[in-house]
Amino acid sequence: MINTAGLYALATILLSTNVASLPENHTDSLVNSVVDSGTFQNPSAQIRPRFRYWVPDASVDPEYLAKDVASAGAVGAGGVEVLGYYLYGGTPEGTGNYSPVDWSVYGWGTPAWRSTLNILAQSHKDNGLIMDFALGPNQGQGVPAPQNSDGLVWELAAFNVSVPVGSSFNGTLPGWEQIYNSTLHAVVTGLVVDAVNTSGISPSLPIAEDYNRTQYTLAADSLEDVTSQVSSDGRISLQFPSNAVGLEYNVFAIYLDHNQYRAQQNPEFMLGPHTTPETWLQNGSWAVDHFSIAGAQTITDFWEQYLLVNGTKELLMSVGNFAWEDSIEIRSNLHWTKDFSDTFEEAHGYDLTKWLPILFHQNKLGFVGEPTDWWITDEHDTGNSHVGDYRETLGELYGLYVKTLNQWAEDYLDLQMSAQISYNYPMDALQNVPNVDAPECESLGFSHLVDGYRQYAGPANLAGKRIISTECGANMYGVYQQTLPSLLWDVKRSIAGSVNTFVLHGYPYSGPYGNTTWPGFSTFDYAFSEMHGDHQPAWDFYSNSMDFIARLSYIFQSGIPKMDLVFWQKFTAYPVIERNYQPTDLEDAGFAYEYLSPDNLGLDEVYVQDGILAPARQAFKALIIRANDSLTVYGVSRLADLAHDGFPIIVSGGIPSYLVSYNESGSAYVNETMASISSLPNVHLVPYDGLASSIASLGINPLTRISSNGSWFTYWRRDDLVGADYVFVYNDGGDLGLGNGYSEGTVEFASTGIPYTYDAFTGMQTPILEYTKMNNSIIIHFSLAGNQSTIVAFLDSPLETSPVPEKHITTTSKGVLGVAYEPEKGLIVKVGPSFSGSFTTSDGLTHSASTPSSQSFTLTNWTLTVERWDPPSNLSAITTQAIKSNTTHLLPTLTSWQEISSLQNVSGRGYYRTTFNWSALNSTGAIIDFGAIVHTIRVSINGQTLPPLDTTWARADIGTYLVQGENVVEAVVSTTLINVLRPIWYDLVTSGTGPSVPAGPAQDYGLLFPVVVTPYAEVIV
C-alpha cells in the first residue's frame, strides 16, 4: 500500500512526550487546583479526551485489551473509560440475550473481571495514560449482591379497585395475591369526582411529557389512610358514605418491594453456553438503591471485598482518574427507599401516605411507560405540590447516595468521582450537580443544546468544579458514519455551554468475540454512534482532532468561567433537556448566561460584592426570574437576601407566584416577599419580549458585544494565575450542511489585554494584529466558516515566544489575507489580488500596497489513488482490519466519490495529487484553500507536511513551502465505513444480534470543493 509515514510524522512528534498527570492533590476537584496540564501545544493525558471503552465481558483477549489502550493513546487520547458492556445489561431493555461465553465465569465482578481490570490498568500505566472506570456493569449502577439485599433498588407498586358510592368493600386487598416477598406499605381510599379521556401535558409540572390516558380526579378532602384497618391476611372491611357527590370510590393498595432490576442479567436467563450460578457472585449484578447510603455502600463494599484486593487497589490508584456512573436508567413503578416516608415528613411537615395514588404517573419519565390511568386531585394545582415535595425528597436522598460514593472514591482510592447527575429521573437535576467531583452531561441526552449545557454547568461552576464532563458523540442512527467534523461540532457547542472535558462515545474492544462479524464487536445493535478504533480508515488521522479537543480543554479547564447573567430555574424533573430561554436575543447581543436552581443558592460562593453575585466564581451582573417560574420558600428567602444586598433582579413578564410545595404558610410568604422586593430600586419589572434590550437599558453590558450576520456564541474564562482572559468564539452553522454557514462580524471584548489567537488545530499562539482598541475594550473582526471557532486570549503580558509589535492594524480594505509580525522585519501585511484601497495602523498612518500580479487559480487535473477497505470474504474474521486494494482515477475537477464510477460502495483512504507552476515575481506567497472537509485531511506541499488544517475551512499559508516552477500538492483524506457496509448491512451481527436500525444513507467522500490558490504580496510596515 502507499507509504504514508511522512504524513504521520508531525503527529508522532506531538504525542511522543505525552505524560499522565493527576492533580497534585488527587482529590482536589476545584478550579485552580494544581495540575500538570502539559502545554497548549501538547496537553497532558489528564487534559486529553478519553474514549468510553466497551469491554464485551471478561472473556476478552488480554493482548487486544493492551493493544486497544496503546492505540487510543497513539491517536491522542488521554486514556479510556472502562465499561463492562454485557449487552447493555442483557436485560429485556438491553441489546440481545445471547452471549458466546459463560457469564457465571466471565461476569462482571468475578475473578476474571478483576483480571481484565488489572490488564487495562497496567496498560494505562505502561503507556503513560489515565483510566476512568465504571462502578458496575453496563452503566455502573449495580454490583453482584445477594438477592433482596437492603441496598438494592426499592419501589412502590399500586393496585386499586373501584367501589360504588354508598357501597362497601369487604375482602382481600387488590394485588395481595400478585405481589410476592413484598410488604404492604399503605392502603388509601378516595372519592372520584371526575374522569376524562385526555392527552397533553397539563396539568403536570413543567417539562412534562404528553401521554394519552384516562384521568381521574380525586376529592382531596376524601383521601384517607386506612392502612391500620388491614388484617394480617390482607383483608379489609370498608363502608363508603352514600351522600358523597362523585362517581365512585377507589381503594388503593400500595406495596413496597425490591424491583429486581438488573445491571447485568443472571446467566441462567441468557442464551449460549451458560451454567447455573453456584454463588451470588456469579449471578449477575443487581441495580442498587440510589436513594440511600446503603445503596452506595453496597457498591463500595463489593469493590473493597472482591475487586480492590491482591494489588488491584494500588494499581488502580496509580492510574485511576474517575470512578464513574452513567445516567440513571433504572426502571421502577415508583422510586422509593425504606426510609423515604420518615425523611419526607421530617422535611415537609406532613405525612405523604394519603397522597401516594397521585404519584404513579409522570415519575417514570418514559423508562417503563406511563400508566393508562392517571390520578390527580381537585386542589387548585391538581395535587402537583405533593408531587413536587416527593421529588424534592427524592433529590435529597439521591444526594446522600452521590456524596457517599464521592467520599469513598476520595478517601479509599485517593481518586475523584464523576457521574451523570439526576437527569432521566424525577428530580431537580441542578440540585445535586455540586455533590460530585466532576459532574457529567451528554450530547445526546442534552439534545446538543448550548442552552442545555448551561443549565447543568451553572451549579457546577458556582461550586467551583474544575471539570464539567460530557459523554460526547452518541447519535441515534449514526453508527459507522460519524465524521470527525460532526463530532467536533458537538465539542464546540459543549465548550460554548461551559463543558470542558470529553469522553468520546465510544471505542469497542477490537479483538475476537463469538458470533460477531467484521468490522468487529459493535454496541447497541448498531444503533448509536460511534465505533471508533483502528478498523476505521480515519484512525491514523484522528490525532489532529484529538489534539484540537485537548487544546480546547487545556484552555477552558484553566481559570474561572465568567458570565453576565443567571436565570432562576426550578424544575422538579428532567425527562428531556430542552432550551429553557427560547428567544435568541441574549445570545445575539453577546450576553453569556447560565441557570441556577434555588437549591443552589446555599453554596458558599453565593454572596454579593459591589453589585456582583458570586464574584469569585461566575461574577453574575443580574438574575432573571420569570412569571412562570416555580418557587421554593428557601429560594425566595435567598432571593430577598440578594435583592436587599443591592444585586439587580430582573422580573421578566410578571411576578411568579407558584410555590412547588404543599405549604400554605409558605405560599403566603413567597407571594408577600416577591411583592415586597419588587419595590426595591434594584428589582426591575420588564416585559418578557425584548429581554436583551431591557437589560441593556439598565446599563448592564455583556463581556462580549456581538455584531454579526451569523449565530455566534462566546465563552469567557479568567486565569489570574497566568494573567489571561480566554474567550471562545464560535459560529454555529447548525445543520446548514457541509461548507455552508459562513458569517462575519465583530466582537467587542471587555478587555484591554494583549490579544492573541490560540489555534487549537496547530497549537500556535500568535498575536492578533488587526483590531480597534477602545478605552475599556477591544473590537476584533472575524470571518468564520459554518461551525468554525477560534480562541482569543487577552494577556496581561506578551508571550516570550511570540512578541508583539508597537503598532497594529486598525482598519483595512477587502483583500488583506493576513497580518504577521517578525521582529527583524516588522509588521507584515499580506495583500491578495482583490485588494484595493489602503490600511491604517494604530499610529494613525494610512498605507497603500501593490497587489500581486497573479490572480487566484483553481487546481485541476488531480490523480486520485483510492485505498479501498473491503470486508474479508469470511465476515467472521473480525480481527482483519480490512482487505485493502488500490484503484487510480484521473479527475479533471474534484467531485464526490459517489460520482466516480466504481466508488459508490467504497470506503477507505484517498490520496490526491496534482501540480501547479509558481513564479515568485511580484508574489511573495500564497494561501491554499480546500474548503470544508468531509472527515479528515492531511496535506503536503513539495513533500513537506502542513500543520493540521481546520476541517471547517481547510486553508493554509504555503508561502514558505513554495518553489520556483513546478509545485506538488498531495492530500490524503479518509472516510467512514458506512458506504462499504451498506451492501452487507443485514449480514452483520455482534454477539449473535444484527442491526436494529437501517443502514445510514450513502455519504459523499473525498475532496468536494475546488482547491483554490490565492497569491499574495507582502507589505512591510
Side-chain angles (χ1 to χ4, degrees):
M1 296 303 102
I2 294 173
N3 184 354
T4 58
L7 291 167
Y8 306 151
L10 181 61
T12 302
I13 293 170
L14 287 175
L15 294 172
S16 62
T17 58
N18 228 17
V19 292
S21 51
L22 295 169
E24 187 173 291
N25 174 356
H26 291 186
T27 60
D28 186 352
S29 64
L30 300 182
V31 291
N32 293 328
S33 58
V34 179
V35 178
D36 181 4
S37 301
T39 64
F40 178 67
Q41 290 73 25
N42 185 30
S44 72
Q46 173 71 20
I47 303 300
R48 290 181 170 273
R50 296 178 295 282
F51 289 104
R52 176 172 296 179
Y53 181 60
W54 292 302
V55 182
D57 54 46
S59 71
V60 290
D61 187 326
E63 291 187 11
Y64 281 91
L65 294 176
K67 178 187 78 72
D68 288 348
V69 171
S71 185
V75 300
V80 305
E81 176 186 88
V82 175
L83 187 151
Y85 180 66
Y86 289 90
L87 295 178
Y88 200 43
T91 62
E93 297 84 14
T95 56
N97 63 349
Y98 175 88
S99 170
V101 298
D102 184 358
W103 282 0
S104 292
V105 178
Y106 298 109
W108 194 94
T110 61
W113 177 256
R114 190 176 70 83
S115 296
T116 299
L117 194 65
N118 285 343
I119 292 162
L120 289 165
Q122 185 62 50
S123 299
H124 280 79
K125 191 170 186 176
D126 293 344
N127 288 277
L129 305 174
I130 59 175
M131 187 177 93
D132 298 345
F133 54 94
L135 287 170
N138 181 5
Q139 293 164 297
Q141 291 166 3
V143 292
Q147 189 172 7
N148 294 324
S149 301
D150 271 0
L152 303 183
V153 177
W154 296 91
E155 69 172 1
L156 292 184
F159 297 81
N160 67 290
V161 61
S162 62
V163 182
V165 173
S167 296
S168 62
F169 179 86
N170 188 3
T172 302
L173 290 171
W176 185 269
E177 304 296 338
Q178 290 110 301
I179 297 293
Y180 302 99
N181 300 317
S182 61
T183 301
L184 178 66
H185 182 74
V187 180
V188 178
T189 61
L191 175 66
V192 178
V193 294
D194 191 28
V196 60
N197 293 321
T198 187
S199 61
I201 62 174
S202 180
S204 299
L205 288 166
I207 313 193
E209 295 183 289
D210 184 3
Y211 292 95
N212 296 322
R213 74 270 187 181
T214 302
Q215 186 166 286
Y216 297 91
T217 302
L218 295 165
D221 60 5
S222 76
L223 293 174
E224 185 178 0
D225 176 5
V226 296
T227 312
S228 62
Q229 301 179 39
V230 180
S231 64
S232 60
D233 60 355
R235 297 182 62 84
I236 193 170
S237 179
L238 300 167
Q239 178 64 49
F240 295 101
S242 59
N243 61 347
V245 179
L247 304 180
E248 64 185 21
Y249 277 90
N250 263 257
V251 178
F252 299 90
I254 299 161
Y255 301 88
L256 173 67
D257 195 7
H258 289 290
N259 78 348
Q260 312 300 326
Y261 191 79
R262 290 277 190 173
Q264 180 216 309
Q265 187 58 276
N266 177 351
E268 285 190 287
F269 288 87
M270 299 294 297
L271 300 177
H274 297 277
T275 59
T276 301
E278 296 179 1
T279 69
W280 59 262
L281 183 61
Q282 300 174 313
N283 191 32
S285 293
W286 301 99
V288 302
D289 181 1
H290 278 54
F291 307 107
S292 71
I293 292 174
Q297 289 176 338
T298 299
I299 290 178
T300 60
D301 288 349
F302 182 86
W303 274 84
E304 291 180 22
Q305 295 172 33
Y306 295 95
L307 293 178
L308 300 175
V309 295
N310 299 326
T312 300
K313 176 183 178 182
E314 292 74 18
L315 179 58
L316 198 57
M317 290 175 68
S318 70
V319 298
N321 183 45
F322 292 132
W324 172 82
E325 183 175 334
D326 204 348
S327 58
I328 316 171
E329 296 182 10
I330 300 168
R331 282 69 166 169
S332 289
N333 280 296
L334 182 67
H335 306 295
W336 205 257
T337 190
K338 290 179 70 176
D339 296 330
F340 191 97
S341 295
D342 292 341
T343 304
F344 180 94
E345 187 165 359
E346 183 178 350
H348 297 287
Y350 70 96
D351 186 348
L352 183 63
T353 303
K354 72 176 185 179
W355 307 103
L356 288 174
I358 68 173
L359 301 182
F360 285 87
H361 71 275
Q362 291 282 11
N363 282 316
K364 297 183 179 67
L365 306 194
F367 282 126
V368 179
E370 285 294 318
T372 56
D373 294 344
W374 288 19
W375 303 86
I376 62 175
T377 72
D378 60 358
E379 296 166 284
H380 73 280
D381 67 348
T382 68
N384 280 333
S385 58
H386 309 292
V387 177
D389 286 341
Y390 160 76
R391 293 174 174 178
E392 186 73 13
T393 297
L394 204 67
E396 292 168 2
L397 291 169
Y398 174 65
L400 294 177
Y401 168 86
V402 169
K403 285 187 274 190
T404 301
L405 285 178
N406 198 83
Q407 197 65 50
W408 173 80
E410 292 183 355
D411 293 347
Y412 193 77
L413 289 174
D414 194 32
L415 301 176
Q416 294 185 28
M417 172 80 183
S418 178
Q420 296 181 2
I421 296 292
S422 298
Y423 62 90
N424 290 342
Y425 257 38
M427 297 180 282
D428 182 349
L430 280 58
Q431 177 182 8
N432 281 300
V433 165
N435 290 328
V436 68
D437 290 319
E440 183 172 275
C441 56
E442 57 175 292
S443 58
L444 177 65
F446 281 62
S447 304
H448 318 279
L449 293 171
V450 174
D451 186 272
Y453 301 135
R454 287 169 167 168
Q455 296 173 43
Y456 201 73
N461 285 329
L462 186 63
K465 302 300 181 182
R466 184 176 67 88
I467 297 298
I468 304 175
S469 178
T470 182
E471 169 197 319
C472 188
N475 294 307
M476 185 70 172
Y477 310 117
V479 74
Y480 291 114
Q481 56 193 295
Q482 184 180 72
T483 65
L484 288 175
S486 70
L487 178 63
L488 296 186
W489 171 78
D490 256 334
V491 168
K492 295 168 188 176
R493 288 179 70 87
S494 301
I495 291 285
S498 203
V499 176
N500 59 13
T501 295
F502 297 89
V503 179
L504 304 182
H505 187 280
Y507 180 14
Y509 164 75
S510 68
Y513 195 72
N515 284 54
T516 298
T517 61
W518 188 85
F521 184 79
S522 302
T523 55
F524 301 105
D525 296 343
Y526 302 89
F528 290 92
S529 61
E530 180 56 281
M531 302 299 127
H532 301 291
D534 66 2
H535 52 277
Q536 294 275 6
W539 186 245
D540 290 330
F541 305 93
Y542 267 51
S543 61
N544 287 0
S545 294
M546 300 295 280
D547 288 346
F548 175 83
I549 299 171
R551 293 180 184 125
L552 286 178
S553 293
Y554 176 90
I555 292 297
F556 295 108
Q557 286 179 22
S558 67
I560 298 173
K562 297 298 178 182
M563 296 288 149
D564 297 308
L565 308 169
V566 60
F567 280 92
W568 172 291
Q569 176 168 292
K570 180 60 183 177
F571 293 146
T572 61
Y574 285 78
V576 293
I577 307 297
E578 298 175 333
R579 183 181 174 96
N580 187 347
Y581 180 66
Q582 293 294 333
T584 63
D585 60 329
L586 293 177
E587 292 158 343
D588 294 341
F591 283 104
Y593 60 86
E594 289 181 337
Y595 297 84
L596 292 175
S597 166
D599 293 357
N600 305 135
L601 297 181
L603 292 173
D604 291 342
E605 295 298 333
V606 180
Y607 62 90
V608 177
Q609 181 177 307
D610 298 327
I612 297 297
L613 175 62
R617 294 289 185 252
Q618 295 103 312
F620 299 115
K621 301 167 186 172
L623 182 148
I624 302 160
I625 188 167
R626 293 160 291 179
N628 61 348
D629 277 323
S630 298
L631 304 176
T632 68
V633 171
Y634 175 75
V636 170
S637 70
R638 293 294 290 124
L639 186 68
D641 291 340
L642 300 180
H644 287 294
D645 286 341
F647 182 61
I649 308 293
I650 297 172
V651 182
S652 172
I655 300 174
S657 61
Y658 180 63
L659 179 68
V660 62
S661 178
Y662 182 64
N663 183 341
E664 289 187 9
S665 62
S667 183
Y669 167 78
V670 299
N671 283 287
E672 292 169 3
T673 303
M674 291 300 297
S676 174
I677 65 173
S678 66
S679 63
L680 295 175
N682 54 301
V683 177
H684 310 278
L685 277 65
V686 303
Y688 178 80
D689 294 326
L691 183 57
S693 297
S694 296
I695 293 172
S697 71
L698 299 173
I700 299 173
N701 297 312
L703 287 167
T704 57
R705 193 191 305 267
I706 295 173
S707 177
S708 79
N709 58 359
S711 178
W712 289 15
F713 294 89
T714 58
Y715 173 56
W716 190 300
R717 287 183 84 99
R718 171 65 189 177
D719 189 346
D720 284 327
L721 298 180
V722 299
D725 290 290
Y726 299 117
V727 187
F728 184 67
V729 180
Y730 169 56
N731 171 33
D732 185 45
D735 56 0
L736 296 177
L738 189 71
N740 296 316
Y742 170 87
S743 66
E744 56 183 280
T746 62
V747 179
E748 182 175 357
F749 300 89
S751 174
T752 56
I754 303 167
Y756 280 78
T757 292
Y758 283 24
D759 189 327
F761 273 101
T762 65
M764 296 177 65
Q765 299 159 292
T766 56
I768 295 174
L769 301 172
E770 184 180 346
Y771 59 91
T772 301
K773 191 169 185 178
M774 313 295 285
N775 289 335
N776 299 302
S777 63
I778 288 177
I779 301 173
I780 302 175
H781 181 273
F782 298 94
S783 298
L784 298 171
N787 299 324
Q788 189 174 26
S789 64
T790 186
I791 302 170
V792 179
F794 295 95
L795 306 185
D796 295 350
S797 302
L799 295 173
E800 293 182 4
T801 56
S802 185
V804 296
E806 294 181 356
K807 54 188 175 183
H808 60 271
I809 304 297
T810 55
T811 59
T812 64
S813 301
K814 291 286 187 180
V816 172
L817 301 182
V819 184
Y821 173 64
E822 296 179 15
E824 63 276 10
K825 290 184 178 179
L827 203 61
I828 304 168
V829 180
K830 301 175 182 182
V831 298
S834 64
F835 178 80
S836 62
S838 59
F839 57 88
T840 304
T841 49
S842 56
D843 56 7
L845 298 179
T846 299
H847 309 262
S848 59
S850 299
T851 61
S853 57
S854 301
Q855 297 297 308
S856 300
F857 55 93
T858 299
L859 300 183
T860 57
N861 298 320
W862 294 84
T863 299
L864 166 62
T865 300
V866 173
E867 180 185 88
R868 301 171 55 120
W869 286 41
D870 289 316
S873 57
N874 176 11
L875 285 179
S876 296
I878 63 174
T879 58
T880 301
Q881 185 183 48
I883 303 301
K884 300 177 185 179
S885 60
N886 291 347
T887 60
T888 300
H889 311 265
L890 302 179
L891 307 178
T893 58
L894 294 171
T895 187
S896 166
W897 292 12
Q898 291 296 308
E899 305 300 322
I900 301 173
S901 177
S902 76
L903 293 186
Q904 284 76 21
N905 294 320
V906 170
S907 296
R909 296 172 178 173
Y911 297 83
Y912 289 81
R913 186 183 189 277
T914 192
T915 61
F916 67 90
N917 284 315
W918 176 257
S919 172
L921 182 63
N922 201 30
S923 294
T924 314
I927 304 294
I928 192 167
D929 186 347
F930 287 81
I933 302 302
V934 173
H935 198 20
T936 70
I937 187 170
R938 285 198 185 154
V939 176
S940 65
I941 305 294
N942 298 319
Q944 298 183 70
T945 303
L946 299 185
L949 303 181
D950 184 338
T951 50
T952 62
W953 193 356
R955 59 201 299 264
D957 187 336
I958 58 173
T960 60
Y961 300 85
L962 295 173
V963 297
Q964 186 76 16
E966 184 180 75
N967 287 259
V968 178
V969 179
E970 295 174 292
V972 184
V973 301
S974 62
T975 76
T976 66
L977 274 180
I978 190 61
N979 285 6
V980 76
L981 291 177
R982 281 168 49 82
I984 60 170
W985 186 249
Y986 289 107
D987 296 326
L988 306 180
V989 293
T990 188
S991 194
T993 301
S996 61
V997 298
Q1003 288 183 328
D1004 287 315
Y1005 292 158
L1007 296 176
L1008 302 186
F1009 298 94
V1011 178
V1012 177
V1013 176
T1014 302
Y1016 63 75
E1018 291 184 348
V1019 180
I1020 308 298
V1021 179

